[in-house]
Amino acid sequence: MTSLSQAQSVPPGPDHTLPPEEQALTQGHTQGQTQMKAVVQKKASAWNAELSLQFGRTARGTVLQRADHQGPLYVQKAFYPEGPDLAQVYLLHPPGGLVSGDRLQITVKCCDDSHALLTTPGAGRVYRARPDRALQHQINILNVGYGSSIEWLPLETILYPDACTRLDTHVNLADDARFIGWEITSLGMPNQNLPFATGNLSQTLQITRNERILLRERLQIDDGSRALLNGSAGLRGNPVNGLMVAGPFAMPDKQTTEPLIDALIQQLRQIVDECDALAAVSLTGEFMTIRYLGNQTDQAMKLFIRCWQAIRPQLLGREACEPRIWAT
């Protein structure tokens, strides 16, 4: 007995020859299916996603008032391990990384007197680019209202060899707003001995207040600047780099505030000295900056967490409370 699948797979024999007009229709249908499949594949190769979050202050504390998303980028709910005043949120991106043509945009707004901490459950990835070199782009826009704070504490981003990516983070501060954030980037995959020998990266962090730039950091790696990877004035052969920024540390009363900031700098430098990597602390304008150069993303993460534990009480008036997802 012949099964249905077997019967469908039998090619037309002498008794099953189609008339010429039906053969033409069949060939046209097959070509149309092939073309349609190619168009679908082309469209599917660029997976754009957007997420817009708004936090506000109510009688119950800080609440997640809005979470609009398009595409595979969302949050499930806010957590309150520190009490109702501050919301902790995990950013979820099920695809786990960017392929050629992908564009992710995350917009966060903290309205006046609201407070949010945002992190990720896993590392972000930027995969090897296709031959067309379509850009792999992530944009983070963080708007911090009067008397509010945002802590932007994602896990590391891993750039696969030959990725073609742009990573932009824009922080817009109102008066009396505070920000703590970090970026940890692995250029290549050092654990698998895969260096970032080819590929492009444009990475920018910009902080403004009332449309005035307070801090701007930029890293550009391409064929014209690849010497930075090993140069003494560049990354010195270290595949992992990290930058942590916290502030602004306003000094309305220098005699009172300056000794507190100096003591914090000394505490941070002691933490940095205990790290077996190239790391440094400095006060850049109104912002504390901690820089890391090394070979391990988890080492950078541990360093930044220790610095965050020291900075948070001074800047935000809160003891450190690590998101539970970090322990998994």
Side-chain angles (χ1 to χ4, degrees):
M1 183 175 180
T2 304
S3 67
L4 179 61
S5 60
Q6 288 173 326
Q8 290 175 332
S9 65
V10 175
D15 297 331
H16 299 84
T17 303
L18 297 175
E21 62 274 12
E22 291 191 29
Q23 290 182 14
L25 287 172
T26 302
Q27 291 172 356
H29 179 66
T30 303
Q31 291 173 355
Q33 283 183 319
T34 302
Q35 291 172 353
M36 185 178 295
K37 185 176 180 181
V39 170
V40 170
Q41 288 177 338
K42 185 176 181 180
K43 288 183 179 179
S45 65
W47 206 345
N48 298 334
E50 295 185 14
L51 174 66
S52 180
L53 305 177
Q54 178 175 303
F55 298 88
R57 182 78 178 188
T58 70
R60 293 183 293 141
T62 295
V63 297
L64 178 58
Q65 296 176 323
R66 195 181 75 241
D68 301 328
H69 79 98
Q70 180 180 351
L73 186 61
Y74 56 90
V75 299
Q76 291 180 329
K77 66 176 183 176
F79 298 93
Y80 295 90
E82 305 180 56
D85 193 48
L86 185 144
Q88 293 190 1
V89 169
Y90 306 154
L91 304 173
L92 306 176
H93 181 228
L98 301 177
V99 301
S100 291
D102 281 1
R103 183 181 185 274
L104 300 185
Q105 178 168 319
I106 300 169
T107 303
V108 181
K109 179 180 181 181
C110 267
C111 298
D112 295 354
D113 297 315
S114 61
H115 308 279
L117 183 156
L118 301 102
T119 188
T120 57
R125 290 173 169 79
V126 183
Y127 297 112
R128 179 178 179 176
R130 293 192 307 256
D132 63 7
R133 312 302 294 166
L135 186 65
Q136 300 152 279
H137 194 187
Q138 178 167 340
I139 307 165
N140 310 311
I141 302 173
L142 312 176
N143 300 309
V144 195
Y146 178 85
S148 298
S149 66
I150 285 182
E151 296 169 86
W152 179 257
L153 312 177
L155 272 64
E156 69 273 13
T157 299
I158 302 171
L159 270 60
Y160 283 51
D162 207 31
C164 180
T165 186
R166 180 175 170 184
L167 306 174
D168 295 322
T169 299
H170 300 280
V171 184
N172 305 308
L173 301 175
D175 291 331
D176 199 33
R178 299 289 182 267
F179 172 74
I180 303 177
W182 64 51
E183 295 178 338
I184 301 170
T185 308
S186 176
L187 295 169
M189 306 170 72
N191 291 341
Q192 300 182 34
N193 196 29
L194 295 173
F196 198 67
T198 58
N200 303 329
L201 166 66
S202 174
Q203 187 171 22
T204 301
L205 168 65
Q206 179 171 293
I207 302 177
T208 63
R209 182 173 57 213
N210 300 325
E211 299 184 356
R212 176 174 169 266
I213 296 176
L214 302 179
L215 183 73
R216 180 177 171 86
E217 295 278 340
R218 190 162 187 268
L219 176 62
Q220 181 78 34
I221 301 293
D222 53 31
D223 290 341
S225 61
R226 204 166 303 279
L228 285 174
L229 293 174
N230 297 303
S232 58
L235 303 184
R236 303 186 184 185
N238 294 286
V240 179
N241 73 87
L243 171 66
M244 179 178 180
V245 175
F249 284 88
M251 292 189 286
D253 181 0
K254 270 189 135 182
Q255 289 185 342
T256 303
T257 312
E258 203 167 44
L260 295 175
I261 293 177
D262 289 342
L264 178 58
I265 291 174
Q266 293 305 315
Q267 182 183 2
L268 293 171
R269 284 178 176 166
Q270 183 176 353
I271 293 171
V272 162
D273 289 343
E274 296 170 4
C275 177
D276 185 22
L278 291 172
V281 178
S282 62
L283 184 65
T284 305
E286 301 176 56
F287 290 87
M288 202 75 69
T289 59
I290 300 96
R291 302 175 191 275
Y292 170 92
L293 285 177
N295 298 303
Q296 303 172 41
T297 56
D298 59 341
Q299 184 183 52
M301 186 74 177
K302 289 176 183 177
L303 171 64
F304 286 174
I305 289 174
R306 289 191 63 193
C307 292
W308 171 71
Q309 291 169 341
I311 291 171
R312 202 179 197 232
Q314 298 292 330
L315 184 64
L316 304 183
R318 304 175 187 279
E319 294 300 321
C321 178
E322 295 185 19
R324 293 175 184 172
I325 197 73
W326 289 355
T328 60

